[in-house]
Amino acid sequence: MKQIRQDEIEIIISNAQKPKSISNSSYPLNDLDDRVFEILTYSIFKKRLIAERAFKKRFDDVILMQGVGEKGMDSILVKNGKIASVVQCKKYKTNLSDKIILAELIKFSLHVLSNSTEFALENNFTYFLATSTGFTGKSNLLPNSLNN
């Protein structure tokens, strides 16, 4: 798994086209380049790791992955050298449906099963799904139904 270095992130950000923000409306996340959206999401998790005590206890670091062939892992959160959580970014023009989410979960689960030694599955492993839009009504029920 290849990770992106901080200097590479800075180059991507400096070369990125910035979308125009309009007063009294949501930030236009869909106008971001896919990679820039992944970097924004990574940056949010990086700040959480610095600011939130509970997050610091669960994870040692957050790493932005290369972006190609990362098997649904745009960023990973590690603990003791193992993947303790993943962040997958989905930038769609419409809300994510339950079918899209389930397909992504199945693909990721198959990856975990075939590479289980890379993952710290015993300590409350979490799969974060970040979207530029939102979720359809039915898909909002998925997290609770999967936890039961």
Side-chain angles (χ1 to χ4, degrees):
M1 292 185 297
K2 185 177 183 294
Q3 55 186 294
I4 302 297
R5 297 184 325 265
Q6 188 60 39
D7 61 319
E8 294 173 300
I9 292 171
E10 291 169 12
I11 291 169
I12 294 167
I13 293 296
S14 68
N15 292 327
Q17 185 176 6
K18 313 292 188 283
K20 292 187 179 173
S21 179
I22 300 171
S23 295
N24 298 323
S25 97
S26 299
Y27 190 77
L29 294 173
N30 274 325
D31 293 343
L32 293 173
D33 175 78
D34 291 350
R35 193 60 174 157
V36 174
F37 179 66
E38 292 170 0
I39 292 171
L40 173 64
T41 305
Y42 156 81
S43 299
I44 291 168
F45 280 87
K46 192 81 165 168
K47 289 197 184 296
R48 287 186 70 186
L49 192 59
I50 293 167
E52 296 177 27
R53 186 174 298 156
F55 229 62
K56 286 185 213 180
K57 286 182 180 180
R58 282 188 64 197
F59 310 112
D60 299 325
D61 198 9
V62 57
I63 299 167
L64 180 66
M65 304 308 290
Q66 72 177 352
V68 177
E70 80 278 330
K71 308 286 186 196
M73 300 182 294
D74 295 309
S75 292
I76 59 172
L77 292 116
V78 294
K79 182 71 174 181
N80 300 324
K82 289 197 171 207
I83 301 169
S85 185
V86 299
V87 181
Q88 183 172 19
C89 300
K90 288 290 173 195
K91 197 169 79 84
Y92 282 64
K93 296 259 184 234
T94 60
N95 290 341
L96 269 62
S97 69
D98 54 341
K99 289 179 184 173
I100 292 171
I101 295 168
L102 287 172
E104 293 300 326
L105 285 170
I106 290 168
K107 285 191 289 187
F108 178 71
S109 297
L110 291 172
H111 174 69
V112 170
L113 289 172
S114 62
N115 299 284
S116 61
T117 57
E118 298 176 7
F119 296 88
L121 300 173
E122 64 279 351
N123 291 326
N124 197 20
F125 185 89
T126 306
Y127 174 90
F128 293 99
L129 182 60
T131 177
S132 59
T133 51
F135 304 97
T136 62
K138 285 174 79 175
S139 64
N140 280 325
L141 302 174
L142 272 177
N144 290 332
S145 65
L146 293 174
N147 284 334
N148 294 333

